[in-house]
Structure formats: structure tokens, C-alpha cells
Amino acid sequence: MEKLDRITTDPARMNGEPCIRNLRLTVRRVLEALAIYPDRAELKREYPELEDEDIRQGVFKMQECGHSADQRQRPLHWINFP
């Protein structure tokens, strides 16, 4: 099992949804943003606090749970990481 040290869960924050590094940015929102901004540069302009490892771990977490950013869109295996 992979260590997901950037994914945090707090029942008192964001309704207990998994978040990136205790930010008020949920893993689900990051995946939705990946669907909207497939160009990594655009994504980072929109969310400058995100780092590549945050995105990678968020994708891994959602795959682990069996989710994709939008079930009607392409699955998560299309995302390329440097």
C-alpha cells in the first residue's frame, strides 16, 4: 500500500471528505479540476497551492476508492505524471 501523507481527513473539515494537506481543497475537487484543466499549467494557475505530488496522491486515493472525477468522463488512467 502506498503512503498517502498529503491526503488528510478531518470530520470537522469539509464534511470529513479527504483533503489535500489540510487545505480546504478536497480530493474530489482536485479530480474535477483535472477534468476541466487537462493542461497541467492551467491547473496550476487556477490552484497554485497544488503540487504534483498532491495531484498524484489524490488520483491514487480516488482510484483506491473506485471513483473517477466524473463517472461519465474518461477514467483516471489517462492522467500522465512526470
Side-chain angles (χ1 to χ4, degrees):
M1 175 172 249
E2 183 165 338
K3 180 180 175 189
L4 300 177
D5 58 346
R6 292 174 179 242
I7 308 301
T8 57
T9 305
D10 179 351
R13 181 175 290 211
M14 304 301 289
N15 294 321
E17 284 195 47
C19 292
I20 303 294
R21 293 183 284 123
N22 277 322
L23 299 171
R24 298 185 66 79
L25 182 58
T26 64
V27 170
R28 177 176 301 280
R29 182 64 195 129
V30 170
L31 295 184
E32 290 169 349
L34 278 170
I36 294 168
Y37 304 104
D39 175 20
R40 186 67 53 90
E42 281 185 70
L43 177 66
K44 287 190 173 189
R45 276 194 299 276
E46 187 67 27
Y47 297 95
E49 66 277 16
L50 276 179
E51 299 173 8
D52 286 337
E53 185 63 14
D54 298 330
I55 297 167
R56 193 186 68 72
Q57 286 190 24
V59 169
F60 186 85
K61 176 67 174 173
M62 291 308 270
Q63 284 180 324
E64 189 178 66
C65 295
H67 294 90
S68 66
D70 182 340
Q71 295 295 333
R72 296 166 300 184
Q73 294 190 15
R74 52 195 161 184
L76 297 177
H77 67 268
W78 65 271
I79 301 170
N80 295 319
F81 290 95

